Amino acid sequence: ISQNVQKQYEENPYPRWISIERFIPQNFLIHLNNDIQPNKIEYNNKFDNPNVLIAGCGTGRHPIANSMYKDAKILAVDLSLASLAYAKRKSDELGVKNIEYLHADILQLKDLKRKFDVIESSGVLHHMDDPIAGLRVLHDILEPHGFLKLGLYSETARKEVVKGREFIKSKKFKDTNENIRICRQLFFKEQENLSLKNSIQSSDFYSLSSVRDLFFHTQEHRYTIPQISKILNDFNFEFLGFFSLHPSIKHKFSDHFPKDKKNISLENWHEFELNNPDTFLGMYQFWLKKK
């Protein structure tokens, strides 16, 4: 599976990007608290010079954005050499000096004999043959005081994508450029029958590499919030909060669950998602720490 995923991203490095908004560097905990509000982590000096791992950095947009963590040392890892080459070129172009790039599989990272204060792996584990094996590696190389960011696909929010993938399978389309173009035109024509409104309105629908990632990916796992809750309990992780949500969503959640002051009850979030199935259209993105 890793070799198939690697082949896909060698041919179509992801994500496609040219420019990036950058800010004055701030302490990592400031960024964390902005993400997980209304929850909050108290300041401690263990994150004044954090060692950060980006497990699955793609074309570098993620680690370069994280260079805003003040005085951080960042190791960015990916399977795809083509993606890493673009990441390195953009880092040099933007004058980013605190990122080291490494060509490796997540399952190899224990061989580094290093631990990290912060690990981020967004949109990566769900493309592995065994995501739990990948999470176990990340858990083991995370410092006891560390924080882990994950991004996983939602079974509820990706119902459109599942329909699209079933349509592709029924038509026996391959992941060639020609087939992707033909398929995309059929999706336009059949969007009402296939209920693909959200997918077609997504920016990912307008480049070959993004459509390949969205509908033709060689491997995809999806999760429900109860499944995530069980995984976190098995690993003894504490859930700190979802992020990358429009502020109105958290306001709406707080209105529905006023007793959940920190917005951290996964049981409540499951109920909320069932009533608002488009909440996690991109993916579940959330922060954890070891209990």
Side-chain angles (χ1 to χ4, degrees):
I1 293 298
S2 292
Q3 289 172 348
N4 290 337
V5 172
Q6 180 183 25
K7 179 176 181 291
Q8 175 175 332
Y9 289 124
E10 294 291 3
E11 294 172 357
N12 293 108
Y14 186 87
R16 294 168 63 94
W17 67 283
I18 297 173
S19 61
I20 189 169
E21 189 173 13
R22 301 183 68 203
F23 303 92
I24 296 172
Q26 291 180 303
N27 185 280
F28 161 76
L29 291 175
I30 294 175
H31 294 284
L32 174 65
N33 283 328
N34 283 337
D35 278 350
I36 65 173
Q37 60 182 318
N39 198 4
K40 185 176 182 180
I41 299 296
E42 294 301 320
Y43 172 79
N44 69 77
N45 60 12
K46 288 188 172 79
F47 297 90
D48 288 348
N49 306 98
N51 288 309
V52 179
L53 170 67
I54 310 299
C57 69
T59 51
R61 199 175 195 284
H62 187 169
I64 291 171
N66 282 10
S67 64
M68 63 187 176
Y69 295 162
K70 188 176 182 181
D71 297 326
K73 291 176 287 186
I74 300 172
L75 175 64
V77 176
D78 204 83
L79 275 174
S80 165
L81 278 172
S83 297
L84 288 168
Y86 189 84
K88 182 67 169 67
R89 180 160 68 85
K90 295 301 285 186
S91 293
D92 292 345
E93 178 185 308
L94 294 167
V96 177
K97 305 294 186 185
N98 62 334
I99 302 175
E100 175 189 0
Y101 290 101
L102 176 68
H103 182 225
D105 189 305
I106 284 176
L107 298 177
Q108 297 173 306
L109 294 180
K110 285 185 73 172
D111 297 339
L112 292 175
K113 309 298 183 188
R114 291 171 61 179
K115 293 212 170 190
F116 298 88
D117 304 300
V118 179
I119 297 177
E120 303 191 13
S121 189
S122 188
V124 180
L125 294 182
H126 53 219
H127 292 314
M128 297 181 69
D129 182 40
D130 184 354
I132 299 303
L135 181 58
R136 186 172 294 110
V137 171
L138 299 183
H139 172 276
D140 290 347
I141 61 176
L142 181 67
E143 292 280 12
H145 60 264
F147 295 98
L148 172 63
K149 177 206 280 187
L150 292 181
L152 299 172
Y153 286 144
S154 161
E155 185 72 67
T156 300
R158 284 181 77 83
K159 290 189 184 302
E160 277 193 19
V161 174
V162 172
K163 285 182 182 178
R165 290 170 73 94
E166 289 171 350
F167 178 82
I168 289 165
K169 187 176 180 180
S170 72
K171 298 293 184 181
K172 298 182 179 179
F173 284 125
K174 304 297 182 184
D175 59 350
T176 63
N177 289 353
E178 181 183 0
N179 273 198
I180 292 172
R181 289 190 179 101
I182 294 170
C183 180
R184 187 165 55 182
Q185 291 305 314
L186 286 175
F187 279 173
F188 274 122
K189 292 177 182 177
E190 301 287 338
Q191 58 181 292
E192 290 187 9
N193 294 333
L194 294 172
S195 301
L196 294 176
K197 179 183 175 183
N198 287 323
S199 298
I200 288 172
Q201 290 179 348
S202 164
S203 59
D204 280 346
F205 199 69
Y206 294 91
S207 73
L208 285 173
S209 60
S210 297
V211 173
R212 186 178 184 187
D213 195 76
L214 185 64
F215 287 109
F216 287 81
H217 205 290
T218 188
Q219 176 72 296
E220 175 176 312
H221 296 274
R222 296 173 299 276
Y223 296 88
T224 64
I225 290 179
Q227 287 172 332
I228 290 173
S229 181
K230 182 183 184 307
I231 292 168
L232 302 191
N233 286 332
D234 290 346
F235 279 90
N236 207 27
F237 276 126
E238 179 181 341
F239 177 76
L240 300 177
F242 289 114
F243 68 98
S244 286
L245 297 173
H246 192 278
S248 63
I249 293 176
K250 286 197 173 182
H251 290 315
K252 186 176 181 179
F253 178 90
S254 296
D255 289 342
H256 279 77
F257 303 100
K259 292 183 180 179
D260 188 359
K261 303 285 187 190
K262 296 181 179 180
N263 290 186
I264 57 172
S265 166
L266 286 172
E267 185 177 345
N268 289 345
W269 275 110
H270 177 52
E271 181 181 335
F272 185 86
E273 184 182 23
L274 291 179
N275 293 321
N276 303 274
D278 290 344
T279 301
F280 300 100
L281 274 177
M283 66 183 81
Y284 301 118
Q285 296 205 71
F286 51 95
W287 281 101
L288 308 169
K289 74 180 182 71
K290 291 181 177 179
K291 290 183 181 178

